[in-house]
Amino acid sequence: MSEYQIIRVPRLRLRSLLAIKEKLDMKELSCLNVDFEYLTSQERTRSLGESISRYLRVSSQDSNKLRETNPQIRRTIDFMSKAISLEKALSEEKHLLLHSMVTRTLSSKDMITLNNSKEFLKTGNMIRLSTMKVDAENLLQKLTEAVKSAHQKLEEAEREVLAEKTIESLTAIGYRVKSKPVGADLLIRGKKQDLSIAAQITQKGELHIDMAGFEGGLCRKELNRLNGELSNRGIDFEVIKRQYHGKKGGGVLAQRAEKEISVEFNPLQRILVKENSREKRNRRIMQLRHLHHINQRQKGVIG
């Protein structure tokens, strides 16, 4: 019975992280931890938000006295606290790639502003704090825009890597594979004899899979093989939807892929394979006959 499923990819392991780094030309980041898990799209947004909130709570508690005694610089302190909390959150190992991309956009003046913000808040230097409102506001805005831009670039790279690893995985289990952009998504179709697997990489970074031509429990075995290949390539995933549609011709996605992408077998290729096999067989027979002839002559059977 054929199956349709949606896979969410909350994280990637080191092998896929390296592929993403190559697309982004990120040579300055290295990670020696083979168990390192790189968070993707939704997970990255959630995790970064949680980290920022945690650091901001601590920063707010430390600077509350300054706010109460110096209300005229309250906004400056708020800008500084948010910028520092964002920078600390980015520095966590799970956000290292995002941090590297954001750091690329910072100037020496930005780094001075960040370091001064940390120092003046820590020491309560009111004179210097009162002069930094504009710089602190500009720094926070620049950091925020840099994070958004880096996140968008990472999402695009993640989708490309997921597509490449899906194509590699389908090829590894014996499918001839073609792909085609359809709107904002990428449609992939793998064909093996009467079997086919359609995959779709969505703009959200989800992987939709639909199968056609399978009977009984063969679809589940094939899905397990595909999932195993994806895992070997550093793709960690969780199935968020699974549906047995029971249609040998496949569901909506499989039928769409069949219509959009032709993966026809070249009949000449089969003839060529047969001819090559026949030639090898005939050549081997001739070699054996020749060896037999020499052996007979050595025994004196042939004059």
Side-chain angles (χ1 to χ4, degrees), residues 35 56 79 154 180 191 267:
D35 295 324
L56 192 57
F79 291 141
L154 278 171
K180 177 182 178 180
K191 191 82 166 59

Side-chain angles (χ1 to χ4, degrees), residues 62 66 84 116-125 129:
D62 294 340
L66 284 176
I84 293 170
N116 285 343
S117 298
K118 294 177 181 178
E119 179 65 22
F120 299 155
L121 281 179
K122 181 179 179 181
T123 59
N125 190 329
L129 284 171

